[in-house]
Amino acid sequence: MNVPACFSAFFRLRVVWPFGLLAAFAVFASGCTVYQSIGKSTGSFLHPVSGPDFQPIDSDLWDREHAVLYFYRPDSRWAADEIEAPSVYIDDSHYFNIRNDSYTWLVVNPGERHIAMRRPLLGLEGLNSFSLSLIADATLEVEPGGVYYLRYSEVSEPAETYPELEADHPLARGDLQLVSPEYAMKAQEIVATRFLNSDLLAPNHAGTSIVEAGEDVDYERRLALLEEEREIEIERLEREGRYRPAPWYWPFGGEPDVALEADRKLEKLEKDYALLEKERERREAEESDGWWFF
């Protein structure tokens, strides 16, 4: 069996002293997706959270076309003694490591949002589909205007489950669970936590909007699905004898007798995304007030 070079290097060096392993990851991980939070995973034992007490997100920071994801971690002795805090990923991008007695939030666009948590070892978390410790791996269907509370704790589960989730949903069990707003607002829950501020010892990219990143993810997902749909449509037309093969001198393939439905959808997708990019440019121009500094 052929094993990617990054994996074989990892397993050959698994007995190396941890700092040697850290260097080995950087050298041998070429061509692999590396999950890491080096320099960001400092736990509460070394760096307790010192942000302000819980306050709901200001209404000026989001609109009802989007949604808010709150993440919080109730206080516990286990979490307070932690050397490294686990990482939180949205749509395969790392945003923060959640420490004891803390909360933060992200504004996201509606649709399917993939949420994952990984526990690091010296900041390293995994390669491709391999994770040293995958705490959570779930997809949450986010509605416009929705506010969602995700509770993380290794020592206690919420006393009640989120009513709209199926019992076998990944966020209805385990250490990371979706809870209702009413439950989150109980004593010793999110209202007792402090904001996960970003600083030199534990920087993060939370407490902000990641709508544009989500829009880009949705575009890439839709593009991949439509390209697969196009291949299936061409295969069907070939079976029906409605696809003209290319001449021997033409290397780029044949063409169908009819316009492809997938091509129509792809064209619309590209036009919609182009309009989205123009709108982003317009907003950036407004925010800069037309001033350029050289």
Side-chain angles (χ1 to χ4, degrees):
M1 181 178 67
N2 293 327
V3 179
C6 55
F7 276 93
S8 60
F10 172 75
F11 287 111
R12 284 199 306 271
L13 293 163
R14 65 188 184 278
V15 296
V16 176
W17 194 56
F19 289 103
L21 181 59
L22 183 65
F25 257 95
V27 173
F28 291 108
S30 176
C32 293
T33 299
V34 180
Y35 295 102
Q36 56 86 17
S37 54
I38 297 171
K40 305 172 184 176
S41 61
T42 308
S44 288
F45 182 78
L46 301 173
H47 186 44
V49 171
S50 58
D53 293 339
F54 172 76
Q55 286 289 336
I57 179 175
D58 194 310
S59 59
D60 293 338
L61 297 177
W62 73 295
D63 58 65
R64 298 310 183 264
E65 294 180 2
H66 303 115
V68 177
L69 301 182
Y70 281 103
F71 291 83
Y72 74 98
R73 189 176 187 183
D75 182 34
S76 72
R77 173 51 57 189
W78 169 281
D81 289 342
E82 199 172 55
I83 301 297
E84 282 191 288
S87 290
V88 175
Y89 291 77
I90 307 294
D91 293 328
D92 221 29
S93 291
H94 175 270
Y95 287 100
F96 60 94
N97 291 61
I98 190 161
R99 307 205 299 279
N100 178 56
D101 195 25
S102 71
Y103 85 96
T104 191
W105 52 265
L106 291 165
V107 177
V108 301
N109 59 314
E112 285 191 355
R113 303 272 66 89
H114 179 239
I115 301 170
M117 288 188 69
R118 294 178 174 87
R119 181 167 291 283
L121 175 62
L122 298 176
L124 297 171
E125 299 166 5
L127 294 169
N128 290 352
S129 60
F130 169 77
S131 294
L132 293 173
S133 178
L134 185 62
I135 298 170
D137 185 10
T139 298
L140 179 64
E141 186 67 34
V142 174
E143 300 292 337
V147 179
Y148 302 86
Y149 295 84
L150 292 130
R151 178 188 191 270
Y152 174 66
S153 175
E154 311 92 329
V155 298
S156 66
E157 291 193 0
E160 55 191 63
T161 58
Y162 192 77
E164 297 178 20
L165 284 184
E166 298 290 338
D168 59 349
H169 193 284
L171 294 177
R173 48 190 168 80
D175 293 341
L176 180 68
Q177 293 194 29
L178 182 67
V179 298
S180 68
E182 294 77 17
Y183 187 86
M185 294 301 162
K186 289 185 176 182
Q188 307 308 314
E189 294 297 319
I190 194 172
V191 294
T193 62
R194 310 183 76 170
F195 184 69
L196 185 70
N197 49 329
S198 180
D199 53 37
L200 289 175
L201 288 178
N204 69 68
H205 299 93
T208 189
S209 171
I210 59 169
V211 167
E212 288 192 5
E215 290 170 341
D216 292 340
V217 167
D218 289 345
Y219 164 74
E220 294 294 340
R221 286 175 181 167
R222 181 64 176 156
L223 182 62
L225 288 173
L226 287 177
E227 287 173 346
E228 290 181 10
E229 184 179 315
R230 187 178 191 276
E231 292 297 323
I232 294 171
E233 190 174 359
I234 288 174
E235 290 174 1
R236 177 178 59 80
L237 291 174
E238 287 177 340
R239 290 194 302 269
E240 295 173 356
R242 302 167 64 191
Y243 192 86
R244 296 190 299 274
W248 64 269
Y249 55 81
W250 188 250
F252 302 109
E255 60 181 16
D257 291 337
V258 295
L260 294 176
E261 178 65 16
D263 282 345
R264 184 189 65 79
K265 294 178 181 178
L266 282 166
E267 183 179 0
K268 183 179 185 304
L269 177 67
E270 295 294 349
K271 286 182 178 179
D272 290 345
Y273 190 68
L275 290 173
L276 180 63
E277 289 183 316
K278 286 184 178 179
E279 176 61 20
R280 291 177 181 177
E281 292 172 359
R282 184 192 64 78
R283 288 199 303 264
E284 288 177 4
E286 285 184 354
E287 291 171 2
S288 65
D289 291 328
W291 287 95
W292 290 87
F293 296 93
F294 298 94

